Amino acid sequence: LVLEKIPGHIPDESYRSIIRNPLIRIKDIPTIDDYPTAYDMLVEYLKERIYFVDEREYYVTASFIVLAWGHDMLHILPYLHFIGQPGSGKTRACEVVSSLCYRSLNTVSISTAAIPRIIEKYHPTLIMDEFSSFNQQDTSESIKIVNSGYRKDTKYVRINMETLEPETFDTFCPKLMAGLENLVQTLESRTVRI
């Protein structure tokens, strides 16, 4: 599989700062036989950079990365959740996955108000490290926003306090959360935990 950057294809600096991965195109159209090899290479890449206790977790993570690149073709997205004690490698895993995902946005502290606006504007793969503190700080609104984004065409709606008009946000995008604790039950039901 040979990829190349498409020159001059990023519209402006604000877009460039959010999107880590360059826009690419496939030079040689791969055949179906190329995909298992590319997937296996992705798994090997993860094994070289992340330590998981269970071998299957590499395949789950690789599948999430592939899903992130094709998420616009799906109607429902499972989320990925890295859970572990301090120093267990969650942040490193987030960084590695972020470097491989479509339009990744790796965040440590993202405000409740920013989440729907960032997703609406960029449709990134949203990677939220230190999600435990986020999970505790503003459970009601933040969790509603993240909960709404696993199903395509489900909108997060809020009232603009200045105009008193409703605003709708498309919050559908791949999401990876990393933290010390379990998620609330509604969010946990939408995630694969590692």
Side-chain angles (χ1 to χ4, degrees):
L1 186 62
V2 180
L3 303 173
E4 71 173 343
K5 293 181 184 178
I6 299 175
H9 220 308
I10 298 189
D12 60 35
E13 281 304 313
S14 65
Y15 184 82
R16 185 184 311 261
S17 66
I18 295 291
I19 310 307
R20 297 180 61 137
N21 298 327
L23 196 56
I24 54 176
R25 70 171 176 223
I26 300 173
K27 286 175 65 174
D28 299 319
I29 304 294
T31 66
I32 196 68
D33 296 331
D34 293 327
Y35 289 102
T37 303
Y39 184 79
D40 292 338
M41 289 170 56
L42 179 57
V43 169
E44 288 305 312
Y45 183 88
L46 293 172
K47 286 179 179 180
E48 292 170 4
R49 288 159 179 82
I50 304 172
Y51 174 73
F52 289 135
V53 175
D54 188 335
E55 176 87 8
R56 295 173 296 180
E57 293 170 341
Y58 295 105
Y59 293 93
V60 170
T61 304
S63 297
F64 176 82
I65 293 165
V66 171
L67 176 140
W69 282 92
H71 78 275
D72 56 340
M73 296 182 288
L74 303 172
H75 293 283
I76 295 177
L77 291 173
Y79 301 150
L80 190 58
H81 180 215
F82 293 147
I83 186 170
Q85 295 303 312
S88 61
K90 298 179 302 297
T91 298
R92 173 69 178 150
C94 285
E95 291 168 351
V96 171
V97 172
S98 178
S99 71
L100 298 167
C101 282
Y102 177 75
R103 291 187 176 174
S104 63
L105 175 59
N106 196 352
T107 67
V108 173
S109 177
I110 185 169
S111 72
T112 300
I115 296 170
R117 288 165 177 82
I118 291 287
I119 296 171
E120 174 81 22
K121 186 170 183 177
Y122 298 108
H123 293 281
T125 300
L126 187 59
I127 299 174
M128 296 174 281
D129 199 0
E130 305 298 337
F131 194 74
S132 297
S133 57
F134 169 86
N135 201 17
Q136 294 169 353
Q137 287 173 359
D138 189 7
T139 304
S140 61
E141 250 354 84
S142 301
I143 297 303
K144 286 177 189 176
I145 296 166
V146 177
N147 270 342
S148 70
Y150 84 104
R151 186 178 293 274
K152 192 179 256 185
D153 299 328
T154 301
K155 305 293 184 192
Y156 168 70
V157 182
R158 67 178 297 277
I159 296 295
N160 182 315
M161 297 310 288
E162 291 178 14
T163 65
L164 299 177
E165 293 293 322
E167 294 178 323
T168 61
F169 296 94
D170 178 8
T171 55
F172 182 73
C173 75
K175 296 172 188 72
L176 184 155
M177 296 151 282
L180 304 172
E181 302 168 1
N182 291 331
L183 302 170
V184 296
Q185 188 176 8
T186 55
L187 195 52
E188 187 77 35
S189 70
R190 293 168 169 86
T191 64
V192 177
R193 183 173 35 172
I194 294 182

